[in-house]
Amino acid sequence: MKKVFCLVTFIIVSSFNVEAQTAVLKQQIEQFLATKKAKVGVSVVGIESKEAFAVNATGHYPLQSVFKFHLALAVLNQVDKGILQLNQKIVVKKNDLLLNTWSPIREAYPAGDVEIPLSEILKYTVALSDNNGCDILLRLIGGPKVLNTYLHKLGIKDVAITVNEEDMQKDWDTQFTNWSTPKAATDLLLMFYRHQILSQSSFDFLWRTMVETTTGKKRIKGQLPEGTIVAHKTGTSGTNTEGITAAVNDIGIVTLPNNQHFAISIFVANSKENTDTNEQIIAEITQLTWAYFVH
């Protein structure tokens, strides 16, 4: 009986210590954010340790291109079902390659009217955040409504996908109709990493693609040791005439030196800060989190 009592006591004390430590980390982040002119939401979960903390993690934040991760999951789900194939050729017409939008696909194939493997379009869309690639994939699976329904069926309820990239760029307010809570974004990352969504081959493909992401080098990866493996997806809005940036985001999974991981979602919304400061907010919060997990 004494051994059982001691074990229970140890578990309670250990749990108390973890909660106390995460409370300190949360306080550090809140103090850091106190001087920033932006709404910032943070959600973190240690994948193996199960340690978690959050700051403003249940509000609605504009996703911007972060939703290309959500889209990639839906596309690869159709690959796993045999509806699509990674090596199948997708016809990309010239009128699919809209001007005045970020599109490395358009730069590579300016004349259009080409057949591009689905795998290549996915890589452009996720790793390079191609807006035209995003809308091509959305049309392929049936549009934003299909994506939204897919996410809700997964159990990710606090997210809404209502428009594509083309529509998001038509006016300022439309971008806010594609939103997520930071907690929901982290929950989706966890489901992805725990192989609850995709087959092993589809997981491997998307994991490599997210690790190869070239956008947002000053965000989650900004203050981490060089060579740290980060599988992530960024999102970025424009800045309006009042100097407000609607969204500077990054979500991802960070590999620690002991080969454990943490999932992190950081959304910086309605910011009056400049671009460097918005990205520094994400980098600083990630660095504090890294320091916590490697202590």
Side-chain angles (χ1 to χ4, degrees):
M1 182 65 69
K2 288 183 179 179
K3 290 182 179 180
V4 173
F5 176 77
C6 290
L7 177 60
V8 172
T9 302
F10 175 75
I11 292 172
I12 292 173
V13 170
S14 297
S15 177
F16 175 79
N17 287 338
V18 168
E19 290 179 7
Q21 290 167 356
T22 54
V24 170
L25 175 58
K26 181 178 177 181
Q27 184 179 41
Q28 289 176 324
I29 292 172
E30 289 174 337
Q31 289 175 344
F32 168 69
L33 293 176
T35 59
K36 301 299 185 288
K37 294 175 286 187
K39 175 186 175 183
V40 181
V42 183
S43 174
V44 175
V45 175
I47 293 178
E48 291 81 9
S49 71
K50 307 296 194 295
E51 296 168 77
F53 72 90
V55 176
N56 303 324
T58 58
H60 294 189
Y61 294 78
L63 277 163
Q64 281 290 333
S65 288
V66 166
F67 92 95
K68 293 168 183 170
F69 166 63
H70 303 57
L71 173 59
L73 292 174
V75 172
L76 289 169
N77 173 258
Q78 293 199 7
V79 171
D80 288 339
K81 290 180 175 179
I83 300 170
L84 300 172
Q85 295 181 328
L86 281 177
N87 62 358
Q88 80 178 76
K89 298 295 181 65
I90 306 299
V91 176
V92 177
K93 300 177 181 179
K94 186 173 179 60
N95 60 13
D96 292 327
L97 301 176
L98 304 182
L99 303 175
N100 302 317
T101 192
W102 172 252
S103 182
I105 292 178
R106 188 189 61 239
E107 299 304 314
Y109 305 99
D113 298 321
V114 294
E115 293 184 343
I116 304 175
L118 176 61
S119 59
E120 187 175 335
I121 296 176
L122 274 165
K123 289 178 181 179
Y124 271 113
T125 299
V126 176
L128 300 178
S129 207
D130 192 293
N131 291 336
N132 285 325
C134 175
D135 288 355
I136 290 167
L137 293 177
L138 268 176
R139 287 192 290 272
L140 189 64
I141 66 167
K145 185 176 181 179
V146 170
L147 175 55
N148 195 64
T149 300
Y150 167 74
L151 295 169
H152 288 184
K153 284 184 177 179
L154 286 177
I156 306 299
K157 304 294 188 180
D158 290 328
V159 61
I161 310 295
T162 67
V163 294
N164 62 12
E165 283 284 356
E166 180 182 3
D167 288 337
M168 263 203 296
Q169 298 185 42
K170 287 181 178 178
D171 65 75
W172 180 260
D173 292 335
T174 301
Q175 66 185 303
F176 296 97
T177 66
N178 279 6
W179 60 265
S180 175
T181 66
K183 182 182 183 304
T186 297
D187 287 346
L188 190 61
L189 287 169
L190 292 172
M191 291 183 70
F192 163 66
Y193 188 78
R194 290 169 177 162
H195 293 75
Q196 295 172 332
I197 301 177
L198 302 177
S199 68
Q200 185 65 52
S201 59
S202 288
F203 170 85
D204 291 342
F205 173 84
L206 185 52
W207 176 264
R208 288 193 304 269
T209 302
M210 293 173 71
V211 168
E212 293 168 1
T213 290
T214 59
T215 58
K217 293 179 180 179
K218 295 182 179 179
R219 299 183 192 181
I220 287 177
K221 298 178 74 171
Q223 295 184 30
L224 298 182
E226 187 174 352
T228 299
I229 296 173
V230 179
H232 68 124
K233 184 69 200 82
T234 58
T236 312
S237 76
T239 301
N240 68 13
T241 56
E242 298 175 2
I244 296 174
T245 302
V248 177
N249 307 327
D250 205 358
I251 71 168
I253 296 169
V254 178
T255 302
L256 294 159
N258 63 359
N259 207 36
Q260 294 194 356
H261 310 80
F262 65 88
I264 185 166
S265 300
I266 306 176
F267 291 79
V268 181
N270 295 328
S271 177
K272 295 182 180 178
E273 306 287 355
N274 61 31
T275 298
D276 287 343
T277 301
N278 290 327
E279 295 194 313
Q280 186 213 355
I281 288 170
I282 296 174
E284 182 71 22
I285 292 172
T286 306
Q287 196 282 325
L288 288 169
T289 304
W290 170 276
Y292 170 80
F293 280 108
V294 299
H295 73 280

